[in-house]
Amino acid sequence: MNHYILIDHVQVQDANAIAGFTWGFPSITHFLGFAHLLQRKMKAHSQFSDIELGGCAVISHDQRTSTYQHGSSVSFTQSRNPPYLDSHDKKSPPPIIEEGKMSMTVSLLIEVKDSIAQYGQALEAWINKQCYLQRLAGGSIQNVKSVSLFSIKSEDTASIRALQRRLLPGFVLINRSELLSQHLEQLQETDSSIELFDAWIDFIGLKRRARPAYELINQHLTQLAKDKNDFAINLLDKWQQHLKTSYDSDNIPKDLLNYFTNMSDTANKQHKALISQWQHYINPDLTTPAQWEYQPKPNKGYLVPIMCGYKAISDVIDNEEVLGTRDNETEVCFVEAVHSIGEWRSVHRFKSLDTINNAMWQYHYAPNWYLCSQQQSFDVIDNSIDNRNDDIIIQDPTEF
């Protein structure tokens, strides 16, 4: 039996929308930090000090970034807070400090190591109060719909369906780092110079590619296939399969090449425009009319770039050697953000206890690495801080 705390539909205002290279949703470290602070407060509370929290699943219900669009670009809405300072010349306003903010509604499903049913409403009320005293992703918590304690047995499908109903409509964030590793291997089979960053960009970029105009070719082959001739039907099928792939003049099916070559030899005025378009299709130049096609991402699914931790880029430094630290005691280490690939999945896909547990994000610590993942065991790619070529992005969670 597994035990959970559900903090349901938390409304957050002015949360941090920027995470490393990415923007649009806070880093997963914010949510684990929220659960970690809750754990520390429990340890300091005499009644709840025995409670041990585990992983945390993040379910998004709504999000609105504070942005505006001008032309083809998007900018964050900025403000001056406060508009004037006593120490500032009031003839000129203070400068704007750029920051990305968003409002969101999320639910947190936190794993608990042992049963907490005996605490009942007292724990629920205490957690509800602590939520309002904490910040989530730097934002202010405006409302919490409810806090619930519950347990689920592996065969208890009724409880799982009840959890689904409470979280719908909602999307849970899943770690898909293995897709990045697989895509990198596929790219390096044809080009060994491809780096991990290039593979990562393929998942986040909105790419379009030009294909020479082909409407006359398509109309001709479609009309030809209406005669239900096996050769014509096969020719149309190969043409349609060709259109499903990215345009490459070297990968045009031979049957199509042979067909239009023979047509060129016996072409009449009726097919002159068709043959001209075919010649431009197989040998495009700068004057060739084109149609722009969206290039799909390497894998299916609602895939997004995510920030999931930090990588050390310096040795641990004594506090006295660094100026401007937050306190005068804690040692200092400079870090870079670690990025990976995530996927938003609807909570209706919570079909079993395993799928729920696989959605739980957890901390992982290793020399020079501070990561969040949904895997229990890791091996570190490289513990050194000197080799930084590919350290900025997770390649595969099993390799840390």
Side-chain angles (χ1 to χ4, degrees), residues 22 53 61 89 114 165 170 256 298 301 334 380:
T22 70
L53 302 182
H61 304 285
D89 182 7
D114 297 306
R165 289 193 295 270
L256 289 167
F334 293 95
V380 176

Side-chain angles (χ1 to χ4, degrees), residues 14-18 22-25 63-79 98-103:
D14 289 338
N16 182 16
I18 300 175
T22 70
W23 70 275
F25 198 76
Q63 63 89 19
R64 300 174 303 281
T65 53
S66 300
T67 59
Y68 67 95
Q69 185 168 355
H70 47 98
S72 59
S73 60
V74 177
S75 299
F76 282 104
T77 304
Q78 306 293 338
S79 61
E98 295 187 0
E99 54 186 5
K101 296 296 184 181
M102 65 178 294
S103 297

Side-chain angles (χ1 to χ4, degrees), residues 312-319 321-322 330-334 368 385:
I313 59 174
S314 75
D315 296 323
V316 178
I317 306 171
D318 188 78
N319 185 281
E321 300 179 18
V322 182
T330 308
E331 295 178 326
V332 178
C333 179
F334 293 95
N368 301 315
I385 59 174

Side-chain angles (χ1 to χ4, degrees), residues 298-334:
N299 295 86
K300 296 181 179 180
Y302 191 172
L303 301 174
V304 292
I306 60 173
M307 175 186 161
C308 54
Y310 300 94
K311 167 71 168 63
I313 59 174
S314 75
D315 296 323
V316 178
I317 306 171
D318 188 78
N319 185 281
E320 297 179 355
E321 300 179 18
V322 182
L323 297 176
T325 56
R326 292 187 176 184
D327 59 61
N328 298 324
E329 299 178 358
T330 308
E331 295 178 326
V332 178
C333 179
F334 293 95

